[in-house]
Amino acid sequence: MADWMKALLEVDPSQPDWEGQEQRAAVNRVTRLGQEVQAFEARWPALEDEASPTPSFTWSQLERQLADLAGCPVKAGMARDLVSATRKMSRFKPPEMVLREILCMTWALLDEGFQPPPEGSAEMP
């Protein structure tokens, strides 16, 4: 492990180091993401015989279609947030992993058993 990474992960409990804690948290997030990608690639190795690629579409088109399929304004808003998060992380992941995430968010948005409370209402405990 690189010396700078070791230094970030070392904690001195006697003195709060907010900047150091933020840096350690960032390193931990990157490490977890790398582990997720490695696990995905181990489970789904690249195919040697690639067929024709899928048609391309934009993130805006994906968001528009998911929002339309969602069926209610709250889920449509969730579609925007889910697509935004997926788009931001997509450059660090293999394309097939991004495809899987798109399929999972579609499944979640179309789940009729999941009905979030209307916007502005507080959930009752």
Side-chain angles (χ1 to χ4, degrees):
M1 185 181 304
D3 290 338
W4 66 270
M5 191 178 278
K6 285 181 185 177
L8 286 176
L9 295 174
E10 291 175 358
V11 177
D12 180 5
S14 65
Q15 295 191 0
D17 176 16
W18 301 116
E19 184 178 325
Q21 288 178 4
E22 289 177 18
Q23 291 172 340
R24 282 188 294 281
V27 168
N28 288 334
R29 284 191 300 270
V30 169
T31 301
R32 267 193 315 277
L33 177 60
Q35 291 168 343
E36 289 174 21
V37 169
Q38 285 179 339
F40 182 88
E41 289 176 333
R43 183 172 179 193
W44 305 101
L47 298 172
E48 291 183 29
D49 181 29
E50 291 292 326
S52 62
T54 60
S56 63
F57 52 88
T58 66
W59 290 105
S60 297
Q61 291 170 325
L62 174 64
E63 180 184 323
R64 180 172 59 182
Q65 293 304 312
L66 289 175
D68 184 64
L69 290 170
C72 75
V74 176
K75 284 186 178 182
M78 289 174 62
R80 179 184 61 247
D81 295 338
L82 290 169
V83 169
S84 175
T86 303
R87 178 186 55 79
K88 289 173 186 172
M89 297 306 293
S90 68
R91 66 185 187 150
F92 304 110
K93 299 178 179 181
E96 189 174 3
M97 190 174 187
V98 176
L99 171 62
R100 186 178 180 96
E101 291 185 11
I102 290 170
L103 294 172
C104 288
M105 80 174 120
T106 304
W107 174 56
L109 290 170
L110 296 178
D111 180 4
E112 293 178 5
F114 170 62
Q115 294 300 322
E119 286 187 63
S121 70
E123 270 192 66
M124 299 300 288

